[in-house]
Amino acid sequence: MDCVLCKSQLIHGEVNHIVDTESQIVIIKNVPAMICHQCGEYYLDNETAIKIEKLVDELLKNKTEITIANYTEIAA
């Protein structure tokens, strides 16, 4: 698979996924992804994306301004 932005090759790695709402910021560390080695754009597989969506929904219930979670500890 190639990057849709720059057409460069993707490599397996981990990223910090950031969700910024109007009132809260959620940072999820160590998320497995395919990362473009040229431009840095990253892509999540369907299973990971669904886990991230559910995780963010739960973390937003905390009503904290900034929440930081580790994907490898929560999604296991």
Side-chain angles (χ1 to χ4, degrees), residues 3-64:
C3 178
V4 297
L5 298 178
C6 71
K7 308 300 184 215
S8 188
Q9 185 178 5
L10 302 178
I11 56 173
H12 290 281
E14 292 182 343
V15 296
N16 293 331
H17 183 75
I18 300 171
V19 177
D20 188 355
T21 69
E22 289 183 19
S23 59
Q24 294 172 272
I25 296 173
V26 174
I27 302 168
I28 304 173
K29 297 170 64 175
N30 303 315
V31 176
M34 295 298 293
I35 307 164
C36 177
H37 76 280
Q38 182 169 313
C39 73
E41 185 71 16
Y42 66 89
Y43 304 88
L44 306 176
D45 64 36
N46 288 340
E47 182 181 335
T48 302
I50 290 168
K51 286 181 182 179
I52 291 289
E53 283 184 27
K54 290 178 183 177
L55 181 56
V56 168
D57 287 343
E58 286 299 312
L59 293 171
L60 288 174
K61 292 177 185 177
N62 291 334
K63 304 292 183 195
T64 57

